[in-house]
Amino acid sequence: MKITLTINGERREVDASPWKRLLDLVREDLRLTGTKEGCGEGECGACSVMLDGEVVNSCLVAAGQCDGRTVTTVEGLAHGDVLHAVQRELVACGGAQCGICTPGIAVCAAHVVDRGLIRGKNDHEARETVRALLAGNICRCTGYQLIVDAVVNAARETR
Amino acid sequence: MPRIDGVAKVTGRARYLDDLDAPGVWYGATVRSTVAHGVLEAIDLDPGFDWSRVVVATAADVPGQNYIALIENDQPALVAVGKPVMHVDEAIALVAAPTKELAMAAAKAVRPRVRGLPAVFSVEDSLAANEKLYGTDNVFKQFMIRKGHASDADFEAVIAKAAHVIEGTYYTSPQEQMYIEPQAMMAEWRDGRCHIVGSMQCPYYVHKAMKPLLGLGAEDVVITQSVTGGGFGGKEEYPSMLAAHVAVLAKKAGRAVKIVYDRDEDIAATTKRHPAYTRHRLAVDQRGDVLAIDVDCVMDGGAYLTLSPVVLSRGVLHAAGPYRCPVVRVRGRVVATNHPPHGAFRGFGAPQTTFAYERQIEKLAIHLGEDPLQLRKRLALRKGDTTATGQELGFSVGTDEVIAAVERVAGPPPVREGTGPNGEPLRRGRGYVFYFHGAGFTGSGESRLAGRATVARTTSGRYEVRSSSTDIGQGAITIFTQIASQALGVDASLIDVIDPTTSLVPDSGPTVASRTCMVVGGLVERAAKELREKLPSAPAGEEVAVTMQYEPPPGIHFDDATYTGAAYPCFGWACCLVDVTVDLDTYEARVDRCVQAIDVGKAINPVIVKGQIEGGTLQALGWALLENIVYREGKVANANMTNCIVPTFADAPDLETILVEVPYPFGPSGAKGVGEIPMDGPAAAVANAVGDALGCAFDGIPILPEVIAASRARWS
Amino acid sequence: MSSAYIRPRSLAEALDAKAQHPDWMVLAGGTDLMVNATHRPEPAGILDLWRLPELRGVTMTDVLTIGAGTTWLEVEHHAAVLERFGPLAAAAREIGALQIQARGTLGGNVGTSSPVGDSLPVLLAFDAELELASAARGRRRIPYREFCTGYRKTQLAADELIVAAHLRPPATRTRTTWRKVGTRRAQSISKVMGAAFIELDGDVVTRARVALGAVADRPIRIAAVEQAVTGLALGAKAAEAARAALRSAIKPIDDVRSTATYRRDVAENLVARFFS
């Protein structure tokens, strides 16, 4: 079927099976390979993208469902060379190691930061909020500590 | 200095194997055994399937020798008809097709016929050797360390004199590396040369394996590492298998072929940490000083030898722990079973034996009524002491510093009893461990390997670091840049650490064993220094390159025959504190606090070092509490990320990391290995803490809620 | 052959399509049906109900109505749910993590009726009523306790769609509670979960509904426990009565995630805690 969607601010039309995964549509048809596949079962979050303003696992979304919708991938977070606060802090804090989970984490973290969801009376509560909100993104390299640092910093900057 | 590849990774621009453009590439899929042990009688192709757009490859298509060259050449790339099938999910045939969907469908239409044989799934059955899987006794490798005694009779005489003997048997489970990028590889033949690119730790391991398998000379196999999404040991040996598969398919298909494993396939078929049973006896005198240590460790090697002897060696060499002891006997065996081969995973045998000795020390503290951290402090090795192999510790021994660092922040132990938000009763406890990890290859390994690295000023006036050490997320590119920049006295922006391609970089040895910064970084430092001296007299516009080869530090000798001498150039030292809470309604233990103080020699990049330590620490906490491989009849029964779980953000406590620097005089700026050490200790710290909370011993991991539930009768 | 695809603009259109194509996949958030999609056969057609307006949203009148297409994220943040249906908010928060909560829907959980569906014990404890519809027969209502009839088996007819669930709010003297015990602290499959709706006169239980998940082939009400505690005051005695009654009422199983023994132990503890 013909699928028209807005991807990172750009309107695109692709011809694909409605059963195709949004993940594959993005990677294969739209050639945006920043979105990664870690498991194909909605467990690891590496394929996270924003769909109509919510963060979703793109491996669990059928392409047909994206017709007429708006998708933002990791490629759409920065404005030109200006990184999103979350991206900047992930680099500065050492929150990216092997980097394969990083696009998904950047997307999810940017979403929760931009929505102002990271609240807490103190640093401890803010960190616990980050841990709860990002629990759908698995990272095997960092032990999460430096990612939490980065997201808390980004939230503080953005506030 | 922030990670050089950081921006590429946070923007999605970093290109992993599956992201690479490859016009006309076909997709490979693997046909695997469903039987744990048997003989392959035939490979049938479903006559109803349309094979016109599919290439099928079997062992008969391997151009050279059908084995994966590693330590012993016992593992075939594909099981040949008439030959044994040794484990479930062993590769039997390959298919390639223009689309992934067609390849997957074709793989299902290939039907291996296997005549089953009795299979062996336990180390006891393997040692009984009724079914012979390897040699006459199923033992892949055995090691023996003897210190301070000549015979078993002598040894037992020492034990007999002890005031007390602490004895236990400890089990550590298999563990999945769970790198988030599954195994991935692509091959293409051009002009008779085979070019292979993929996710890997060790390009020269793949190179070594492909030469006999493809029947090619060194120049005709070119191996390139693509950006690699985690390894942790899991991409040490297994990538040679994928490389063989894509190379054979690409040759037959006459085009590029790519294989990217599905997660389920990756979990089911690739290597895991060796499960191990370690029997440990700790004999002490009246004052509680250690008289003798006796260890007998048996690891399940799985179906082929792979790297098991080396894993066992490291396990054996760490088994007596970082404690003074005049008389030590360590026996280690790794045996064959019909499980998929177990292999390299961060720590490489040491986490298994560390778990055993740190549980034993805990039991000794309880027996003596002594504070567990003070006991460790009293018994610990220090400069001038000798290890189990008789290595005298001459430098860089951070014992006092790491213990003091933990003591400073420990604070009072948690209150033992409490109530949770749902009214559930809670128990809390604290556990300590003190441990060490040999940095670099074992014994004479580094000298035998003779790793090399090159630093060059190119014709363009920029500088290149050329090594086969891969950045698998641990920061090798950034660290090498920093080392070279400092040694050359030039800005880091002028330095390129080039992608590891075997035709362009020398063999620096594999990216394993906590050796990349300490050993290869040391070569980079020396090469850069020498280049700096040469440059003033070098003609401008010409390339000037300096290659350095590894030389052991003076006085470092190891005897492989007797397992005596300097097992490692140096050791990292670590102390860890863990506080846990156990929910008595659900029997779940959670880590509330984890402090790790680790002597890293010198942290060249403190943020990267911290990231290494914290990543390793959480892998260890996961191994202790929730990671689990469920084998059923030799098959991984939980081969998906839903059921084969690793910790999430919500499972991880805030990690308190303390970097301690007791310089290693022969490392770059004093640095020594850090990659593996954080994996070794925390599991025992968790077991000690859960034991403290509930008043009973936990001698196996994972300490699942099911295990805690079953321990109720022992609580006190 | 690529699947056919219909995104109806109204419920009526959806019901017509369902009647015409009873074999098509009814897809909303895809958090269950799309798992390992590349290994699944391509469906003949997809009936996409995601964001169908008539199926979407939470309303509170004298009962709480949750449209089948409402996501767990919407459920967990709804003021009325947070105020009066605590266990439902808690269950919603523990379904997967953010990405799953943003896509997973009530209708999906109910339609699949897996024994580990996290919202289902809450629906049982609140004695929720489902509203189903078909083009041919219009709407009907059925209590959730009658809807699920076996392992992933339901009363949903081939031409029917789930429209909504209706939950009555608890009276003031009611204790409602929920606990999930999963394989880890987030993004986990339940090993055991339980929900309770306990009506009280003072401290005395006048009526109770207790439901468990992951201990049988479907989410179940535990009548034996409900009877055993009725008339008892909350506290140690009621807790022990609940525990004893549960013992013979369930037959959990061993699987790759846990053991029958553990599930039984924990189920007893949870149920006892509900009445402590």
Side-chain angles (χ1 to χ4, degrees), chain A residues 21 24 27-28 31 33-41 43-44 46 74-75 77-78 80-81 83 86-88 90-103 105-106 124 127-128 130-132 134-149, chain B residues 2-3 5-7 9-16 18-19 21 100 175-182 227-230 232 262-264 345-346 471-474 590 607-608 610-612 614-616 618-619 627 639-642 646-650 652-656:
Chain A
R21 304 178 301 175
D24 299 322
R27 288 179 52 86
E28 295 167 8
R31 299 256 166 207
T33 55
T35 305
K36 309 301 180 190
E37 175 164 7
C39 68
E41 49 188 305
E43 285 290 333
C44 77
V74 67
E75 289 91 344
L77 294 184
D81 285 342
L83 299 183
V86 154
Q87 293 174 305
R88 206 164 54 237
L90 282 169
V91 176
C93 296
Q97 287 191 25
C98 87
I100 194 83
C101 74
T102 307
I105 285 183
H124 174 75
R127 298 182 72 86
E128 289 302 303
V130 170
R131 289 185 185 283
L134 263 63
N137 292 82
I138 305 264
C139 167
R140 192 58 160 163
C141 288
T142 59
Y144 301 112
Q145 185 77 11
L146 300 178
I147 303 177
V148 177
D149 290 352
Chain B
R3 175 181 293 270
D5 46 346
V7 172
K9 286 176 171 173
V10 301
T11 53
R13 286 203 292 268
R15 307 252 274 163
Y16 299 76
D18 201 23
D19 307 334
D21 280 325
K100 282 180 211 167
Q175 185 183 21
E176 164 60 32
Q177 293 88 355
M178 204 66 90
Y179 32 73
I180 303 298
E181 179 205 26
V227 181
T228 295
F232 318 115
D262 279 333
R263 175 60 60 186
D264 303 11
F345 191 159
R346 192 179 216 160
D471 196 319
I472 52 173
Q474 88 285 36
R590 83 165 295 187
V607 171
I608 286 180
K610 197 167 174 281
Q612 280 293 289
E614 287 162 354
L618 189 61
Q619 287 176 353
E627 295 181 33
N640 53 56
M641 275 185 94
T642 308
V646 297
T648 68
F649 271 95
D654 265 328
L655 299 168
E656 299 172 48

Side-chain angles (χ1 to χ4, degrees), chain B residues 110-380:
Chain B
V110 179
R111 311 268 157 71
R113 259 187 285 151
V114 179
R115 177 167 50 84
L117 292 170
V120 176
F121 299 124
S122 71
V123 297
E124 297 80 25
D125 287 351
S126 176
L127 286 168
N130 294 324
E131 190 68 22
K132 307 254 184 304
L133 305 180
Y134 182 86
T136 55
D137 60 1
N138 289 340
V139 176
F140 282 133
K141 188 73 183 180
Q142 170 159 254
F143 290 111
M144 191 85 188
I145 294 175
R146 288 189 193 274
K147 179 187 184 186
H149 67 284
S151 65
D152 288 344
D154 286 357
F155 184 83
E156 293 300 336
V158 177
I159 296 266
K161 277 188 292 188
H164 192 77
V165 179
I166 307 278
E167 187 163 358
T169 298
Y170 303 91
Y171 172 71
T172 58
S173 57
Q175 185 183 21
E176 164 60 32
Q177 293 88 355
M178 204 66 90
Y179 32 73
I180 303 298
E181 179 205 26
Q183 303 265 357
M185 198 75 61
M186 180 162 68
E188 188 174 14
W189 293 73
R190 292 195 300 266
D191 310 323
R193 280 187 167 189
C194 185
H195 298 261
I196 297 173
V197 56
S199 182
M200 66 181 75
Q201 294 178 221
C202 314
Y204 273 97
Y205 274 11
V206 179
H207 191 253
K208 177 188 170 188
M210 289 309 99
K211 286 181 288 179
L213 187 121
L214 302 175
L216 295 176
E219 302 295 307
D220 294 326
V221 184
V222 181
I223 312 295
T224 303
Q225 182 227 7
S226 49
V227 181
T228 295
F232 318 115
K235 291 171 184 169
E236 178 171 351
E237 71 269 45
Y238 200 85
S240 295
M241 180 67 75
L242 264 92
H245 292 168
V246 287
V248 167
L249 279 173
K251 190 173 172 79
K252 194 158 186 187
R255 59 176 70 241
V257 172
K258 164 159 114 174
I259 292 182
V260 179
Y261 279 0
D262 279 333
R263 175 60 60 186
D264 303 11
E265 179 178 25
D266 197 305
I267 295 175
T270 72
T271 56
K272 322 249 168 295
R273 184 185 301 289
H274 289 73
Y277 297 84
T278 306
R279 196 176 68 91
H280 197 294
R281 287 194 294 169
L282 184 63
V284 297
D285 65 14
Q286 286 296 355
R287 290 172 310 171
D289 285 339
V290 181
L291 290 176
I293 291 172
D294 186 22
V295 184
D296 188 354
C297 176
V298 184
M299 295 185 181
D300 174 350
Y304 294 103
L305 183 126
T306 63
L307 289 167
S308 288
V310 204
V311 173
L312 177 69
S313 165
R314 189 170 279 272
V316 161
L317 288 166
H318 287 77
Y323 297 106
R324 284 191 318 277
C325 180
V327 178
V328 176
R329 181 175 72 178
V330 181
R331 182 192 194 195
R333 284 168 292 174
V334 59
V335 302
T337 66
N338 293 109
H339 286 132
H342 295 118
F345 191 159
R346 192 179 216 160
F348 213 69
Q352 290 92 320
T353 53
T354 302
F355 181 78
Y357 74 68
E358 276 305 280
R359 287 292 302 129
Q360 285 281 99
I361 293 288
E362 191 70 16
K363 289 180 185 174
L364 178 62
I366 291 166
H367 172 75
L368 296 172
E370 195 170 340
D371 176 85
L373 189 58
Q374 296 312 311
L375 172 71
R376 286 171 167 91
K377 198 169 170 179
R378 184 164 72 75
L379 301 179

